[in-house]
Amino acid sequence: MTEQAQNTTHFGFQTVPEEEKAGMVHGVFTRVASRYDLMNDLMSAGIHRVWKDAMMDWLAPQPWQRLLDVAGGTGDIAFRFLKRAPGAQAVVCDLTESMLVEGQKRAEAERLADDLDWVVGDAMALPFETGSYDVVTNAFGTRNVTRIQDWLNEAYRVLKPGGRLMVLEFSQMPNPMMQWAYDRYSFNVIPVMGQIVANDRGSYQYLVESIRKFPDQETFASMIRRAGFEQVKYRNMSMGIAALHSGWKI
């Protein structure tokens, strides 16, 4: 393999130099930040809320826990965690400051600001001490990371022994015909919706393409194990449109 091939990655269906992807992803989420939550509801017909609630059901937050939500954006996961476990503490870490600003506005509106910290940081080099969190989560942000294995390794590092990782991400449907129908919806409807609602077709074209480049359930589970996690399991959401992955640092 050539040096050039070793240093490239994908940005949607484009092949780009690794060092450029983070900036390109940052640009996407800077542009969509103000409409991010609205677009999530429209694109999924609100089903993303059901998936995130299922994530909390499996996670079973406890009041004594410290949560780190990586690529936590506008705070959806952290809010759910704190509401289920009053007294818990949460940190939302995201590469894009404008997403965190939107999240802070929501936290103040929902009176959760006192239990939350917001940190600009890179999933591949988390700015936190080793063994400092009970739970690390990520919802729909893993596919935007340049080197996914590096982020999983970092999640393992910052977790305490006995800590848990949980990742919710778009995945692959086991039924080819259903996958075909879902693909038609994704490519033909979501970018148009992005143009109409957010005046940004290109960013939503990237988001659709990035889903198709993400590893399938078994491949991603093997990456979680490679980072050192044990008892790695996953559950399909909505017949595999998304999957919820769990692993423990033992």
Side-chain angles (χ1 to χ4, degrees):
M1 184 179 290
T2 66
E3 184 68 21
Q4 183 180 10
Q6 290 175 339
N7 293 321
T8 59
T9 187
H10 59 81
F11 178 78
F13 290 164
Q14 300 177 53
T15 299
V16 299
E18 276 193 352
E19 64 269 19
E20 293 182 11
K21 180 170 179 175
M24 297 170 78
V25 169
H26 181 274
V28 166
F29 286 96
T30 297
R31 291 191 295 273
V32 305
S34 64
R35 297 286 181 143
Y36 182 76
D37 294 313
L38 172 61
M39 279 296 296
N40 277 349
D41 279 332
L42 293 174
M43 288 187 299
S44 71
I47 299 299
H48 77 100
R49 297 176 181 271
V50 176
W51 297 338
K52 290 169 181 174
D53 287 340
M55 185 181 192
M56 290 300 110
D57 290 343
W58 198 9
L59 192 57
Q62 301 297 316
W64 48 267
Q65 290 178 322
R66 294 190 71 214
L67 166 73
L68 172 63
D69 188 34
V70 178
T74 58
D76 253 9
I77 299 304
F79 296 157
R80 281 173 166 77
F81 189 93
L82 292 173
K83 287 175 180 177
R84 298 233 187 167
Q89 295 291 314
V91 174
V92 179
C93 179
D94 199 285
L95 189 65
T96 307
E97 186 174 6
S98 55
M99 292 284 282
L100 297 177
V101 169
E102 293 297 321
Q104 286 174 303
K105 294 176 186 176
R106 290 181 60 197
E108 290 169 4
E110 298 191 34
R111 298 183 179 180
L112 291 170
D114 291 344
D115 298 317
L116 266 169
D117 288 320
W118 306 82
V119 177
V120 176
D122 187 342
M124 298 185 297
L126 293 171
F128 307 107
E129 294 182 5
T130 297
S132 51
Y133 291 93
D134 301 290
V135 181
V136 173
T137 55
N138 175 274
F140 305 119
T142 293
R143 71 186 189 282
N144 299 311
V145 177
T146 303
R147 295 185 300 278
I148 293 172
Q149 193 65 58
D150 286 0
W151 131 240
L152 294 173
N153 294 344
E154 278 290 273
Y156 187 86
R157 179 185 66 80
V158 301
L159 275 169
K160 299 176 183 178
R164 189 176 189 184
L165 170 73
M166 191 164 284
V167 176
L168 175 61
E169 187 54 90
F170 290 109
S171 200
Q172 304 296 321
M173 303 180 77
N175 184 306
M177 286 301 296
M178 295 184 70
Q179 183 67 51
W180 179 88
Y182 177 59
D183 287 347
R184 300 287 76 71
Y185 163 76
S186 298
F187 284 101
N188 293 313
V189 175
I190 290 177
V192 174
M193 194 182 295
Q195 179 63 42
I196 294 170
V197 177
N199 195 29
D200 189 349
R201 183 187 184 104
S203 291
Y204 286 93
Q205 182 71 31
Y206 158 72
L207 292 173
V208 169
E209 293 176 0
S210 69
I211 293 170
R212 300 326 183 271
K213 300 296 290 186
F214 191 72
D216 64 22
Q217 290 91 324
E218 289 293 344
T219 302
F220 186 54
S222 70
M223 296 175 73
I224 296 173
R225 293 187 188 97
R226 197 176 308 138
F229 290 97
E230 299 184 32
Q231 298 183 21
V232 175
K233 299 177 182 177
Y234 67 84
R235 296 176 179 176
N236 283 333
M237 303 282 111
S238 300
M239 297 174 288
I241 291 177
L244 189 53
H245 289 260
S246 171
W248 296 82
K249 180 176 179 177
I250 297 175

